[in-house]
Amino acid sequence: MRSVTLVTGAARGIGAATARLLAGPGQDLALNYRSDHAAAEALAEALRARGSRVLLLPADVADPQQVARMFERVDAEFGRLTGLVNNAGIVAPSTGVQGIDRPRLERLFAVNVFGTLYCIQQAARRMGTASGGAGGAIVNVSSRAAQLGSPGVYVDYAATKGAVDSLTVGLGRELIAQGIRVYGVRPGIIETDIHADSGTEAALPEAARAIPIGRLGRADEVAQAIVWLLSPAASYLVGTTLDVAGGR
């Protein structure tokens, strides 16, 4: 039986690293991205060379209609879904609480929280034994910011990831009865492009010195945890979120 895995936000960073680890014969990969088609296409070519069938899915996960169409394309091209990695997420420029306005807040929650939930809803309809599915696994990418709060940097982003953690616990317990395993990972400070989006690149060397392991993390180290959670090796975990943060 072929595995069919959808990875959101797959054009770069942790999403791309996860797709690379999953790639191989017998693994169909559906790669979602919002706008960076060139990066997504380059990744797809590399994954096809490893033996995977690859489907590119441009969509904004904050839009439930686009999410529904994305899953319908997976149905048509690959058949029934077996795995979902909810990696799509955004940050906003670093600011204290007084710099948070409504448009910023709404966009962060629309992508990071609502988008995660929309994707889980669509996946559950396909994986769940109640609808004829054979079960599967869902991994939500959270952040250590959910527990540390990111004071003075982006507490609103941290709040969205706190909501993702709550979804992981609640839906892990709800969906396991239908054969769907729901997990999370909380990355620490990882070497990806997301720091450019928040304008915090200059602070990374100092931040690295404060991490017990003494360095920033790599996207592939987070991807290893995600791929393990998707596998049968994690079959007795329910609603669990793993910290991949170097002790931070």
Side-chain angles (χ1 to χ4, degrees):
M1 176 180 174
R2 296 185 69 87
S3 295
V4 179
T5 305
L6 169 59
V7 182
T8 68
R12 64 179 189 172
I14 292 169
T18 300
R20 291 188 189 99
L21 280 178
L22 288 169
Q27 177 66 258
D28 292 339
L29 293 170
L31 308 181
N32 159 259
Y33 63 99
R34 190 171 69 87
S35 59
D36 195 345
H37 180 77
E41 185 57 56
L43 176 62
E45 289 184 13
L47 303 182
R48 290 179 183 123
R50 298 185 188 184
S52 282
R53 295 192 301 176
V54 181
L55 176 65
L56 293 181
L57 298 167
D60 183 348
V61 297
D63 183 339
Q65 294 182 335
Q66 291 187 46
V67 170
R69 289 194 293 269
M70 179 170 70
F71 277 82
E72 287 164 2
R73 284 196 62 199
V74 176
D75 294 340
E77 296 285 340
F78 290 157
R80 197 172 286 273
L81 191 73
T82 61
L84 167 66
V85 180
N86 274 315
N87 173 69
I90 60 170
V91 293
S94 174
T95 185
V97 67
Q98 300 300 336
I100 297 172
D101 58 19
R102 181 169 180 168
R104 167 188 167 121
L105 197 62
E106 288 181 344
R107 182 60 182 167
L108 280 169
F109 273 85
V111 175
N112 296 356
V113 183
F114 299 169
T116 294
L117 183 56
Y118 296 149
C119 289
I120 292 174
Q121 288 176 323
Q122 293 291 336
R125 290 170 188 161
R126 290 155 172 84
M127 294 179 183
T129 54
S131 55
I138 297 170
V139 180
N140 301 320
V141 178
S142 178
S143 170
R144 278 291 283 145
Q147 296 179 318
L148 299 175
S150 293
V153 182
Y154 36 49
V155 295
D156 46 356
Y157 167 78
T160 68
K161 293 304 187 177
V164 169
D165 284 358
S166 294
L167 289 174
T168 299
V169 173
L171 293 176
R173 295 173 180 176
E174 176 180 334
L175 296 177
I176 193 62
Q178 293 193 49
I180 303 171
R181 300 176 286 124
V182 182
Y183 310 119
V185 295
R186 275 189 292 262
I189 306 176
I190 309 299
E191 292 181 291
T192 70
D193 294 339
I194 198 169
H195 305 294
D197 298 340
S198 62
T200 56
E201 287 177 300
L204 292 179
E206 181 179 354
R209 288 191 290 272
I211 299 170
I213 204 171
R215 63 172 176 83
L216 304 182
R218 302 189 309 271
D220 66 284
E221 291 175 310
V222 182
Q224 290 281 359
I226 293 170
V227 171
W228 181 76
L229 289 169
L230 289 171
S231 78
S235 60
Y236 201 60
L237 277 65
V238 174
T240 298
T241 295
L242 301 180
D243 289 340
V244 187
R248 182 169 179 264

